[in-house]
Amino acid sequence: MCSLEPALDCIPTLRVPRNTVWKSPEKETLKINCTVTTESHCWKTVSVSWCKIEDTDHCRPLSHSNHTGTGWRNITEKERKFFLIFWSLSLQDAGLYRCKSDGPVFTPSYAINVTVTGIRDMKQSVVEPFYLVCSIVIVVALVLTITVLFKTINNKDSELSLEDKRPKQSVGTGTSELALGKDVSEAL
C-alpha cells in the first residue's frame, strides 16, 4: 500500500541559534546560514528556502536575483549549511529572515536579524587609502632624494680626483714642460 504521508525520517530539522544577528556595512557581501539536518538518503527530496519576515503573520519568499542567491555546504552526510547570500547589501535588506523547509511538513527556523550599517565609515574607506598613497609618495620622494644626493657626492668626488690628474706646469727649469702631478724637473 502506498502512503502519501512523508517518511518521518526525511523531515529536516532546521537550526539557527536564538537571537542570531548579522551586522554588515552597505555594499558588502553577506552570507547568513541555517543548519539543515536529515537522513543521508533524504537529500534528494529536501527543499529549503529563505523568506523575509514582513509582519508577524507573513514571511515573504525570496527569489533568486542579481542581488541575492542561495548555496549549500556539506558538513556531514546528514548535515548541511544552507546560505542566503546578499551580493551587495543595501539598507533595504535590513530585517528578519528565516529559513524554512518547503516539504509536506512546514518547518521554520528561528529568525535571523540582519542589520545594515551605512557605507564603511570615512576612516576605513577614504582615510586609509589616502595614508597609503601619501606613504608611497613619501617613500618615492626619499628614494629620489637619496639617489640625487649620492650622484652629486660621486660627481664631486670624481671632479676632485680629476683635479689631481690635471697636467701641472713645471716651474724651475725655465721651460714649460707638463707632467701629471709632478714637476718634470723633479723627475730629472
Side-chain angles (χ1 to χ4, degrees):
M1 183 170 160
C2 182
S3 171
L4 294 177
E5 301 222 3
L8 292 178
D9 66 340
C10 285
I11 297 172
T13 303
L14 307 176
R15 288 181 310 175
V16 169
R18 280 184 201 221
N19 304 315
T20 298
V21 176
W22 288 87
K23 186 175 182 179
S24 181
E26 262 186 299
K27 308 284 185 199
E28 296 290 317
T29 297
L30 175 66
K31 283 175 146 181
I32 64 174
N33 66 75
C34 70
T35 303
V36 182
T37 307
T38 192
E39 293 299 318
S40 57
H41 67 275
C42 299
W43 284 112
K44 290 180 185 175
T45 60
V46 169
S47 176
V48 181
S49 64
W50 288 94
C51 62
K52 184 175 184 181
I53 301 170
E54 293 186 336
D55 58 44
T56 55
D57 295 22
H58 181 62
C59 194
R60 179 179 49 85
L62 299 176
S63 58
H64 290 275
S65 68
N66 291 338
H67 180 65
T68 61
T70 59
W72 288 95
R73 189 175 98 214
N74 293 342
I75 306 298
T76 66
E77 281 186 27
K78 294 183 178 186
E79 190 173 85
R80 296 180 184 179
K81 287 202 183 273
F82 184 54
F83 295 95
L84 174 60
I85 306 161
F86 298 91
W87 299 117
S88 180
L89 206 59
S90 69
L91 291 173
Q92 291 77 25
D93 293 322
L96 298 174
Y97 291 85
R98 174 173 282 151
C99 74
K100 59 188 182 78
S101 71
D102 298 324
V105 176
F106 174 73
T107 312
S109 69
Y110 287 116
I112 297 173
N113 183 351
V114 172
T115 303
V116 181
T117 60
I119 296 177
R120 286 186 185 257
D121 61 31
M122 292 297 287
K123 189 174 196 175
Q124 289 180 343
S125 63
V126 175
V127 175
E128 287 176 4
F130 174 75
Y131 284 129
L132 179 64
V133 170
C134 287
S135 298
I136 291 171
V137 168
I138 290 170
V139 167
V140 168
L142 282 172
V143 167
L144 289 174
T145 303
I146 291 170
T147 304
V148 168
L149 225 120
F150 278 123
K151 284 187 177 191
T152 304
I153 290 171
N154 284 338
N155 283 343
K156 285 188 179 185
D157 285 345
S158 63
E159 283 177 13
L160 288 174
S161 64
L162 283 178
E163 284 180 14
D164 291 342
K165 294 180 182 177
R166 284 193 189 138
K168 292 184 179 177
Q169 188 173 7
S170 73
V171 181
T173 60
T175 60
S176 57
E177 299 170 27
L178 297 176
L180 290 176
K182 291 186 176 183
D183 282 342
V184 174
S185 62
E186 290 176 8
L188 297 173

